[in-house]
Amino acid sequence: MSHVVTLSAKKILDSRGEWTIECTMTSSDGVMATVSVPQGKSRGSFEAVSIEPDKAMGIFKGIIEPALTGGEIALGGQAEIDKKLIALDGTPNKAKLGGNTTLAISLAYARLASHLARVPLWQGLKKIGQNEDAPLAFPRLFVNMVNGGVHAGSGLAFQEYLAIPVANRPSEAIPQVLAVYQKLKAILLERKGAGAINVGDEGGFTPQGEDEEEPFTFMKEAVVQAGFADQIEFGLDAAASQVNLLPHELLSLYTSIKEHFPCIYLEDPYGENDFAHFATVMKHMGHNTLIAGDDLTVTSVARMEEAQKQGSINAMVIKPNQIGTMTETFDAVRKAREFGWRVVVSHRSGETNDDWVSDLACAVNADGFKLGAPARGERITKYNRLLAIEREVT
Ligand code: PGA
Ligand code: ZN
């Protein structure tokens, strides 16, 4: 049996030029795995605490290395290592070690155990998440085409305007995304000027304006021009905790968007504690729209139970760094399935060039996978990994 011989951490830069954590784990057979963790900007206040990478370096040396060195590495050992991390932390929100620190170790372990088992990461994660029996299915892509809110300086209140191809095979969906993105760029340049084709944190364009529906108008045109009418639907992450509009103003905007565009997905339509207004929007459009919790649910089973009790959502976003370990991430996915919700695995706005989130989206048979526009290396790497996984299985 292989065991952990070294565990080291480094500070690296994320896509915003902010420090984040990279962790390398080495086994007794000399096999290594390195992972890095992303960081959010529109973070829910109930997310696991993210600690300063400088402080994390001290925690690695002083607490984690001594506790985990010598431990066995195997795909079947993930629950054990995550239990140890949770116990070492001892707080409900990873306040002592940091959810970013614990996730770096948890993921490095999963990647190293997969290497040792000679399987690709998605297959290792399938085993760890007890989803081995389900055949691999690719998620639909939820692509952030226009960035607003805190991810851009455009004046748009809503954070993410998403294009969602119906096709889920990466080699079919990705070329559609590329074509729509290029058409959208040309339309924005012509109608809104050169400033509109600058990109925000997730690679989406940043047209200035205060008409919250306008980006969808341009996206609709782009889809038609690209020749994919009826093959691409839309979604919106309002990230409403950061939006200064009254509940009735929000509802009339969502209703109007539904009327004019093929919008099938609405994420965080109200603030992160507003379970009741989520439930209202569910009553209005839950029958034909995915109403998803992100800041509301923060990948936490306790928050999910409250959302279920109040009938707030029928879908949820999964972000491992909101909770801090892979075991807890899989617990949240299982609970979402138990509730009959759709599952959307998501990247973060501050990303690295690591591509594990693509493997995760495939491993849990996610219904959707939120990723950036096809621009900037840290976004592109997620697309390339999906294409590689498709090649592995066909
Ligand atoms: P974040 O944004 O990574 O900045 O939190 C993504 C989201 O809200 O879905
Ligand atoms: Zn969100």
Side-chain angles (χ1 to χ4, degrees):
M1 175 63 81
S2 308
H3 58 269
V4 179
V5 279
T6 58
L7 189 60
S8 65
K10 284 203 289 287
K11 286 195 308 177
I12 63 162
L13 291 168
D14 74 5
S15 56
R16 276 191 283 257
E18 291 171 6
W19 294 109
T20 187
I21 301 169
E22 181 184 86
C23 172
T24 299
M25 197 179 276
T26 312
S27 78
S28 41
D29 337 57
V31 179
M32 293 166 79
T34 297
V35 298
S36 51
V37 294
Q39 319 190 83
K41 189 180 220 173
S42 68
R43 306 185 59 246
S45 31
F46 300 95
E47 293 190 23
V49 170
S50 173
I51 61 164
E52 281 301 312
D54 272 329
K55 194 173 161 208
M57 299 302 117
I59 289 172
F60 263 94
K61 271 261 152 289
I63 304 177
I64 290 168
E65 227 187 295
L68 300 188
T69 307
E72 286 184 359
I73 313 168
L75 289 170
Q78 185 80 43
E80 199 52 42
I81 190 152
D82 288 344
K83 213 158 88 189
K84 266 192 198 162
L85 289 169
I86 292 164
L88 279 173
D89 177 78
T91 71
N93 59 351
K94 311 285 188 305
K96 183 174 165 199
L97 303 183
N100 46 348
T101 316
T102 56
L103 180 65
I105 299 151
S106 184
L107 258 172
Y109 185 93
R111 186 168 265 164
L112 183 52
S114 301
H115 285 339
L116 290 168
R118 294 186 165 72
V119 295
L121 182 59
W122 62 266
Q123 217 172 311
L125 291 175
K126 238 169 176 315
K127 187 171 167 73
I128 292 167
Q130 294 160 16
N131 191 34
E132 268 177 299
D133 297 337
L136 181 85
F138 289 101
R140 286 181 71 180
L141 304 182
F142 286 40
V143 177
N144 191 352
M145 290 278 173
V146 171
N147 293 188
V150 298
H151 291 171
S154 62
L156 285 172
F158 296 148
Q159 185 176 284
E160 301 173 15
Y161 292 79
L162 307 161
I164 308 175
V166 174
N168 63 345
R169 214 156 39 82
S171 59
E172 188 180 351
I174 291 173
Q176 295 183 356
V177 167
L178 305 180
V180 171
Y181 187 67
Q182 291 309 327
K183 291 288 180 200
L184 181 61
K185 185 175 186 175
I187 291 167
L188 288 173
L189 182 62
E190 186 197 316
R191 308 281 170 75
K192 305 283 278 187
I197 59 167
N198 288 334
V199 298
D201 286 6
E202 297 187 352
F205 299 120
T206 58
Q208 302 281 319
E210 280 162 21
D211 174 355
E212 315 310 332
E213 284 188 50
E214 195 182 35
F216 281 133
T217 308
F218 296 133
M219 283 168 62
K220 199 170 162 182
E221 275 184 58
V223 166
V224 171
Q225 282 186 21
F228 298 119
D230 300 329
Q231 292 178 67
I232 297 189
E233 297 175 305
F234 292 165
L236 178 75
D237 179 5
S241 293
Q242 273 95 24
V243 175
N244 261 337
L245 289 168
L246 294 169
H248 74 270
E249 294 172 321
L250 286 168
L251 186 61
S252 67
L253 269 170
Y254 303 144
T255 309
S256 176
I257 286 170
K258 277 289 307 176
E259 245 171 63
H260 298 111
F261 305 99
C263 181
I264 57 150
Y265 177 82
L266 185 51
E267 176 181 327
D268 281 345
Y270 291 97
E272 63 187 357
N273 271 320
D274 202 347
F275 290 94
H277 275 107
F278 270 78
T280 308
V281 85
M282 269 287 281
K283 282 198 193 92
H284 277 81
M285 48 187 81
H287 60 285
N288 63 1
T289 314
L290 296 178
I291 308 298
D294 171 19
D295 294 348
L296 184 83
T297 35
V298 293
T299 317
S300 147
V301 167
R303 302 276 304 173
M304 291 167 68
E305 275 165 352
E306 187 57 33
Q308 171 70 351
K309 205 165 85 193
Q310 300 207 31
S312 305
I313 52 178
N314 57 14
M316 79 173 283
V317 171
I318 293 284
K319 293 172 171 169
N321 73 332
Q322 286 180 327
I323 192 71
T325 64
M326 292 317 288
T327 299
E328 290 163 290
T329 300
F330 291 122
D331 287 347
V333 172
R334 254 191 308 278
K335 184 58 80 178
R337 297 294 188 203
E338 199 183 300
F339 289 158
W341 298 348
R342 297 300 172 93
V343 167
V344 180
V345 168
S346 173
H347 70 156
R348 299 297 312 238
S349 56
E351 268 293 339
T352 72
N353 289 337
D354 204 334
D355 53 15
W356 55 262
V357 71
S358 301
D359 288 74
L360 176 65
C362 296
V364 300
N365 291 68
D367 302 283
F369 177 22
K370 273 184 75 181
L371 69 182
R376 305 170 45 138
E378 81 283 357
R379 310 293 148 189
I380 293 294
T381 186
K382 279 60 172 180
Y383 288 89
N384 282 333
R385 181 64 191 139
L386 285 175
L387 290 168
I389 295 173
E390 187 181 352
R391 281 193 297 270
E392 278 169 24
V393 296
T394 48

